[in-house]
Amino acid sequence: MAKNWIGTTVYYSCDLCFSEATVLDARHGEFCQRCADRYDFDSDEFFAALDRMERYA
């Protein structure tokens, strides 16, 4: 989870692609609608994508 600012607007970033998060999942984090539609939150593909992003952080 990352908190970002655009001007005076505060928003959270998607944990996978860093776009503005609009889907908040208490178990897994914050995601944009595109990533939420793309991944089933309990799938192996989803957890692999999270692992890839952690390596970049």
Side-chain angles (χ1 to χ4, degrees):
M1 166 179 67
K3 200 177 211 182
N4 295 304
W5 290 264
I6 295 178
T8 59
T9 303
V10 177
Y11 69 94
Y12 289 99
S13 295
C14 175
D15 290 342
L16 294 173
C17 72
F18 304 109
S19 295
E20 183 176 358
T22 56
V23 178
L24 306 177
D25 183 80
R27 294 182 304 157
H28 302 298
E30 292 79 27
F31 304 96
C32 67
Q33 190 62 53
R34 187 183 68 163
C35 289
D37 291 342
R38 181 177 179 184
Y39 296 104
D40 173 16
F41 285 161
D42 291 319
S43 70
D44 291 337
E45 181 183 18
F46 171 73
F47 289 112
L50 282 178
D51 289 342
R52 282 192 304 273
M53 291 313 297
E54 285 181 10
R55 279 187 253 138
Y56 292 116

